[in-house]
Amino acid sequence: MATPAQLGLQNASSPIMEELIAFHDHALMIIFLISSLVLYIISLMLTTKLTHTSTMNAQEIEMIWTILPAIILIMIALPSLRILYMTDEFNKPYLTLKAIGHQWYWSYEYSDYEDLAFDSYITPTYFLEPGEFRLLEVDNRTTLPMEADIRMLITSQDVLHSWAVPSLGVKTDAIPGRLNQAMLASMRPGLFYGQCSEICGSNHSFMPIVLEFIYFQDFEVWASYLYIV
């Protein structure tokens, strides 16, 4: 999760987020080089005498400032398209989890298990335990197995919501009457926090998301226990 005074992105916990961070750094370096070049040219214009003011033809420089931006755009577009297609890949998911947005809480349904569903509300401040985070904790955490491909089906029952977990590189809109799909995976166990990222009413800020990734065998024990209960 994010920390105070953090300037960069959250640490990646999924392969997609690692790719997104690498692409962010790639694009940022290109922007830095362009900005440096523009600053250098501006400084030259301000500190040197103008020359060749009577030049009428400059085909060479025109070719350069036409072709060079096109090359730069291609260098940005190709990695972007690659990641875009990676986010839409669904290769035999181990588990399907359906998230339903409400005003103002989330409901979760484990489609592969019969009658395994629950609501997830924000934990009020006066119920927080030591070490828990205000406005980020919920009463029912969503438990999932790590190192497994999980298919998310995301929808809404009332207004537009957005199901987002930054450290996993997932942000998908929840639209009434429509099912959106996303792939989810975590390479390590732990708690991962997110929030609704679409303004959905007066309590929009009180729709946290908490995913708890555990080892595969522990998840099977957890699911079987809830199924028996």
Side-chain angles (χ1 to χ4, degrees), residues 19-196:
E19 293 286 343
L20 289 172
I21 291 177
F23 175 69
H24 169 268
D25 296 340
H26 168 73
L28 199 63
M29 183 56 64
I30 293 176
I31 293 172
F32 173 76
L33 294 176
I34 293 174
S35 302
S36 300
L37 177 62
V38 172
L39 182 62
Y40 173 70
I41 293 174
I42 291 175
S43 63
L44 285 182
M45 292 175 63
L46 295 175
T47 57
T48 61
K49 294 181 179 181
L50 295 177
T51 58
H52 303 290
T53 54
S54 59
T55 300
M56 301 298 294
N57 296 316
Q59 283 84 1
E60 294 82 3
I61 191 64
E62 287 182 2
M63 289 182 61
I64 292 174
W65 71 42
T66 300
I67 295 175
L68 189 60
I71 295 174
I72 293 174
L73 289 176
I74 292 173
M75 291 174 61
I76 296 175
L78 291 181
S80 175
L81 290 173
R82 173 176 171 270
I83 296 175
L84 186 63
Y85 279 99
M86 287 177 62
T87 57
D88 285 336
E89 285 187 7
F90 296 91
N91 297 321
K92 296 181 180 179
Y94 167 76
L95 182 70
T96 298
L97 177 66
K98 185 177 182 181
I100 305 172
H102 307 268
Q103 289 182 310
W104 287 270
Y105 64 96
W106 294 98
S107 296
Y108 296 97
E109 299 176 1
Y110 290 78
S111 303
D112 300 283
Y113 297 87
E114 186 177 355
D115 297 329
L116 183 52
F118 55 85
D119 297 331
S120 182
Y121 290 85
I122 187 174
T123 302
T125 303
Y126 47 83
F127 285 150
L128 290 175
E129 299 290 337
E132 293 184 339
F133 302 101
R134 178 178 172 270
L135 300 182
L136 287 177
E137 294 292 345
V138 295
D139 56 354
N140 290 315
R141 293 171 175 172
T142 306
T143 304
L144 296 169
M146 60 173 287
E147 295 182 342
D149 290 331
I150 299 164
R151 179 174 59 183
M152 291 295 306
L153 299 178
I154 302 166
T155 187
S156 173
Q157 197 170 6
D158 37 48
V159 299
L160 289 176
H161 300 280
S162 184
W163 198 85
V165 183
S167 59
L168 298 176
V170 178
K171 182 182 183 297
T172 305
D173 288 342
I175 303 172
R178 177 174 178 176
L179 274 179
N180 285 332
Q181 191 172 233
M183 185 60 77
L184 187 68
S186 176
M187 296 297 103
R188 56 188 175 89
L191 294 176
F192 303 95
Y193 295 88
Q195 289 178 305
C196 176

